Amino acid sequence: MKKIVLLLAFAAFSGSAFAQEEIKTQTQNPATGAQSSTEVDVRSNGTVKVESESRTGRTKAGQKAYNTGQDVKQAGRKTGRVAKKGAQKTGKGLKKAGKAVKNTAKDVVD
C-alpha cells in the first residue's frame, strides 16, 4: 500500500514539473560581447515568472587572450604527457639493461 502511495506521489510531482513551461532567450551585443538573458516560466496555474539576467561578457580582445591561455594550457599538458612517457620508456630500458648486466656478471663469476 505504501509503495502505491509513493508511486502516485512521484507521478504527481513529475507531472507538475512537466506542466511548467520555461522559455529562455539570450542576446549578445556584438560590439562589446555583453550578454543578457531572460527566463519566462509559465506555471500550470497560469502565473508567469520573469527573470532577467545581464552580465558583461568578454570583449573580442579578452576572448583572444582567453583562447591563448587555453592553448598554452593544452600545449603544456601535451608536453608533460610526452615527457612522462619518455621518462617511463627510459626507466624501463635502464631496468632491462641493469638486469642484463646483472645476469652477465653472475655468468662471469661462476
Side-chain angles (χ1 to χ4, degrees):
M1 184 69 180
K2 288 181 183 179
K3 290 182 182 179
I4 293 172
V5 172
L6 287 174
L7 286 173
L8 288 174
F10 178 71
F13 282 120
S14 63
S16 64
F18 285 120
Q20 293 185 1
E21 181 181 349
E22 184 175 312
I23 301 168
K24 186 172 185 176
T25 59
Q26 280 191 334
T27 57
Q28 183 173 7
N29 186 345
T32 62
Q35 293 181 351
S36 63
S37 64
T38 304
E39 287 186 30
V40 178
D41 292 332
V42 180
R43 298 186 181 120
S44 58
N45 61 1
T47 58
V48 177
K49 180 180 179 184
V50 178
E51 291 181 9
S52 296
E53 177 184 314
S54 63
R55 65 177 182 88
T56 57
R58 291 187 182 96
T59 60
K60 290 181 181 178
Q63 185 63 43
K64 285 184 181 180
Y66 175 77
N67 290 345
T68 303
Q70 292 299 314
D71 291 344
V72 168
K73 188 176 180 181
Q74 184 179 6
R77 284 183 180 159
K78 281 185 177 181
T79 305
R81 286 189 189 118
V82 169
K84 180 180 176 183
K85 188 173 181 182
Q88 286 174 339
K89 282 185 168 185
T90 304
K92 287 178 184 176
L94 289 173
K95 187 175 180 182
K96 188 174 180 181
K99 285 183 180 179
V101 169
K102 182 179 174 183
N103 290 340
T104 56
K106 279 187 178 180
D107 291 340
V108 172
V109 174
D110 290 337

